[in-house]
Amino acid sequence: MAPKTEAVGKTYAPVTYAVGREKVREFASAVGEEHELHHDPEAARSAGYADVVAPPMFVVVYSSRALAGALFDPEVGIDFARMVHGGQEFVWGPPVVAGDEVATEVEVKEAADRGGLKFYVFESRSTNQGGETVCTGIWTNIVR
């Protein structure tokens, strides 16, 4: 059965995430990022940042709610129980720091059948409170 393609081009309303200092510290520790910029507000300020700096892959934290809206949308039609992670690509802008408000919107870019597998590609665009794009992501999911 071919994937539904009606949702290709659909964009979901932005979801805003308030970046907290302790969340940044916890994430950094969980992924083994021990640099002081991720843990010590004074070190981050001395380096020119307003507060602790989120590691780049913190994008998964601030964009997950927005992405979930697309993944579970019946109009997209993903069989989540049969889905596997296919890949992700990111382009980062200015660093995200504690105190930022990051809004992420997601668009369905592709729904296609390739060799009997269904490929779903989403693009996320995350902007901070100043309107700067902090990350653009391409998320590929495959349904077996």
Side-chain angles (χ1 to χ4, degrees):
M1 178 182 226
K4 294 180 180 182
T5 59
E6 297 83 18
V8 172
K10 182 176 182 178
T11 300
Y12 298 82
V15 176
T16 301
Y17 182 88
V19 180
R21 180 183 294 157
E22 291 310 313
K23 290 293 183 186
V24 170
R25 287 173 165 164
E26 290 166 358
F27 183 86
S29 292
V31 299
E33 286 283 359
E34 295 304 323
H35 194 282
E36 63 185 3
L37 292 180
H38 305 303
H39 297 276
D40 182 356
E42 291 307 315
R45 289 186 190 108
S46 292
Y49 299 102
D51 208 313
V52 294
V53 179
M57 286 308 294
F58 194 74
V59 62
V60 174
V61 175
Y62 61 75
S63 63
S64 63
R65 286 189 201 135
L67 191 58
L71 289 173
F72 292 105
D73 183 349
E75 203 173 305
V76 176
I78 292 178
D79 180 353
F80 195 74
R82 299 176 58 83
M83 187 184 87
V84 295
H85 176 72
Q88 57 198 35
E89 302 171 37
F90 299 107
V91 175
W92 282 278
V96 170
V97 300
D100 279 352
E101 296 269 335
V102 180
T104 302
E105 68 176 9
V106 172
E107 180 182 351
V108 181
K109 296 300 275 187
E110 182 182 353
D113 188 333
R114 297 185 195 150
L117 299 173
K118 297 174 187 172
F119 281 72
Y120 297 88
V121 180
F122 302 92
E123 179 179 272
S124 63
R125 293 174 294 279
S126 301
T127 56
N128 64 19
Q129 66 280 355
E132 299 170 292
T133 300
V134 295
C135 189
T136 301
I138 301 294
W139 310 76
T140 302
N141 299 282
I142 303 167
V143 176
R144 305 174 273 127

